[in-house]
Amino acid sequence: MDGPDGQAPPSGHIDLDLSDDPLPRRPVGLRRRWTSLRVSASGVVVLVLIGGLIGAALGRAWARWEQRKLESARVSLFVAVADLSTTTGSNGRVSMEGSVAVANGGPLPVEVSGPASGDFRVWGQQRVAAGGAARFPANLTVVCAAGVEQQPLPLALVVVTADGVRRSVDVKVELVGTWKEMVTQDCQSPS
């Protein structure tokens, strides 16, 4: 096309007065498209129902995950004296060796071990199933001056729960049966 003076425009220039499209269109943005949509009332109801169902499903999944997390951290141990193999008494002290039974009252298995220090010692490490029990070798030293009245005796156990966390669990152990009889007998006899 020639310019107003009859000459061709120089190359690389655009003549803005001329248009090939008789009806120019403005580009429509995404926001304008969404705001111009019309949704029926039934469509809104369906969208709300779908959103509610998805929310309920996610809520239930979250609650189950939280419950599993709580159960994996729950520890419920019971300890009772079991066998008594040796007893020695001297200098106002009674030392006994035997075993204790550790029962797991929690919902998941735990790995139990006892620290080999203090007056009441438990050795070894075992996995104790939920609702199960295991025996551990034990050693107890009782000071006769304190008497058997200091019962129940404190015992610290180390527990690795199902979530992999290592915890210290303090339990109380009653001396019963032969254990109690031997402490009473050895503490009353002159040394």
Side-chain angles (χ1 to χ4, degrees):
M1 284 199 156
D2 292 338
D5 57 358
Q7 295 180 349
S11 72
H13 287 80
I14 299 173
D15 189 358
L16 297 176
D17 293 336
L18 301 175
S19 172
D20 291 339
D21 189 7
L23 298 173
R25 295 184 199 163
R26 284 185 19 202
V28 178
L30 185 60
R31 182 175 157 242
R32 190 165 189 203
R33 286 184 189 157
W34 277 103
T35 57
S36 67
L37 287 178
R38 300 284 183 236
V39 180
S40 66
S42 61
V44 170
V45 169
V46 168
L47 288 175
V48 168
L49 286 174
I50 290 172
L53 291 173
I54 291 171
L58 290 175
R60 264 188 253 119
W62 178 263
R64 282 193 301 268
W65 179 79
E66 284 289 322
Q67 183 64 29
R68 279 194 298 267
K69 189 171 124 181
L70 285 173
E71 285 179 356
S72 68
R74 189 178 314 149
V75 177
S76 180
L77 295 180
F78 307 97
V79 179
V81 292
D83 298 346
L84 179 62
S85 54
T86 63
T87 304
T88 56
S90 64
N91 299 328
R93 298 168 85 76
V94 177
S95 295
M96 298 183 290
E97 289 186 11
S99 65
V100 293
V102 178
N104 179 4
L108 295 172
V110 292
E111 197 75 29
V112 178
S113 62
S117 63
D119 291 335
F120 202 157
R121 293 178 253 171
V122 174
W123 290 278
Q125 180 174 347
Q126 295 183 52
R127 183 176 176 86
V128 183
R135 284 192 181 208
F136 290 83
N139 178 289
L140 171 64
T141 302
V142 176
V143 177
C144 292
V148 188
E149 294 82 32
Q150 82 181 53
Q151 289 201 60
L153 299 170
L155 174 62
L157 294 173
V158 176
V159 176
V160 178
T161 53
D163 59 356
V165 177
R166 186 180 176 95
R167 295 176 166 82
S168 178
V169 177
D170 295 321
V171 294
K172 301 288 185 182
V173 182
E174 287 280 345
L175 288 185
V176 294
T178 309
W179 287 72
K180 186 172 183 176
E181 291 170 13
M182 295 310 289
V183 168
T184 304
Q185 177 183 331
D186 287 352
C187 280
Q188 288 176 353
S189 65
S191 20

